[in-house]
Amino acid sequence: MKVLEDYILEKGTVLPGNVLKVDAFLNHQIDPKLMQEVGAEFAEHYKEKGITKIVTIESSGIAPAVFAGLALNVPVVFARKKKSVTLQDNLYSASVYSYTKKETSEISVSKAFLNDQDTILLIDDFLANGQAALGLLEIAKEAQAQVAGIGIVIEKSFQQGRKLLEETGIDICSLARIASLENETIEFVRED
Ligand code: 5GP
C-alpha cells in the first residue's frame, strides 16, 4: 500500500534490535485518515469471506481494526492483556510473548463475544515473530470460530512470523512488507 509505505519512510525511525518506531501515526499518535484507508484496504481484500467479527489485541491493533470493522460493518473485539474487575471469568485465553516489551502476557477475550458461529478476521499492527497472531489463533480455536484471514498493517518479513502463519494456510494480507531494517535503512519487499 503505497500511501502506508510513504508514511513509514517519512515518519518512521529504526531503533536498535530491528524495531521500527511508528509512534507518529500508529502506535501512539494515530492518523485517522490513514487508518481509514488501511481499514478500507483490509475490507476490500476480505469482503467476500463472510466475516462476522474482527479480533485484534490491545492497544495498537485497535485503530486499524475499528476502521476495518466500520468498512465491513461488523463488530470489533480486542483481546485484553490484563484482567480487570469486569473481565475475570468466562474467558478464552492464551499466552503471548511480546517482542518489543520482552515479557509474556496472558491475553483474554470474553466468551460473550466469540463463538462457533463466527468467521473472524484477525488484525494486528505489526507481524514480527508471530506470537501475538498465534495467541489470537489459539483464542479463535478455543471459541471454535473460523479464521478467514489475518490482516497486518506492517510486516517485518525478515522475522519468522510470516512463515509460521503461512503454515496455517490462512489468507494473510500485509499492507506493508519490510525486507530489512539494517543500517537504519527501511527496505520494502518488492513483489514484482
Ligand atoms: P510478534 O508477536 O509478531 O513478534 O510481534 C507483534 C507485536 O509486537 C505487535 O503487536 C507489536 O505491538 C509489537 N512489535 C513487533 N515488532 C515491532 C516493531 O518493529 N515496532 C513496533 N512499534 N512494534 C513491534
Side-chain angles (χ1 to χ4, degrees):
M1 187 182 175
K2 171 86 170 63
V3 61
L4 176 62
E5 290 187 1
D6 290 346
Y7 261 76
I8 293 170
L9 289 176
E10 197 185 314
K11 299 174 195 283
T13 49
V14 182
L15 302 181
N18 280 328
V19 172
L20 178 66
K21 183 172 173 176
V22 285
D23 281 13
F25 60 91
L26 179 59
N27 291 137
H28 194 12
Q29 174 171 266
I30 292 169
D31 188 311
K33 185 79 188 68
L34 177 68
M35 287 305 117
Q36 188 176 33
E37 290 180 49
V38 159
E41 195 81 11
F42 285 136
E44 180 59 29
H45 187 93
Y46 293 108
K47 66 180 185 218
E48 312 291 351
K49 298 271 189 164
I51 307 290
T52 63
K53 210 156 267 189
I54 292 177
V55 178
T56 186
I57 182 164
E58 69 176 349
S59 51
S60 296
I62 295 175
V66 165
F67 280 103
L70 185 67
L72 286 168
N73 195 23
V74 296
V76 178
V77 179
F78 64 90
R80 291 203 169 161
K81 289 181 177 158
K82 289 213 164 67
K83 300 218 166 108
S84 71
V85 278
T86 59
L87 190 76
Q88 291 282 359
D89 315 307
N90 246 354
L91 303 173
Y92 305 116
S93 49
S95 289
V96 170
Y97 178 76
S98 162
Y99 177 80
T100 41
K101 301 210 172 89
K102 311 273 180 248
E103 63 182 29
T104 301
S105 54
E106 182 84 356
I107 61 165
S108 353
V109 169
S110 166
K111 289 188 178 171
F113 301 125
L114 273 190
N115 61 50
D116 60 2
Q117 300 300 300
D118 282 313
T119 300
I120 297 174
L121 169 60
L122 301 181
I123 286 190
D124 205 4
D125 60 336
F126 270 87
L127 173 61
N129 289 315
Q131 297 308 302
L134 289 176
L136 292 175
L137 283 176
E138 210 175 306
I139 283 182
K141 194 170 165 198
E142 275 181 73
Q144 297 183 306
Q146 299 289 325
V147 179
I150 302 174
I152 300 291
V153 182
I154 303 175
E155 173 188 306
K156 295 194 293 182
S157 309
F158 56 89
Q159 290 183 240
Q160 61 175 2
R162 171 82 188 207
K163 193 171 164 293
L164 279 177
L165 295 187
E166 275 177 353
E167 283 167 11
T168 66
I170 298 168
D171 177 10
I172 306 166
C173 172
S174 298
L175 302 185
R177 302 188 67 198
I178 294 178
S180 163
L181 292 174
E182 269 167 42
N183 305 320
E184 292 175 27
T185 307
I186 303 166
E187 304 263 8
F188 293 102
V189 173
R190 290 285 160 234
E191 319 211 22
D192 41 27

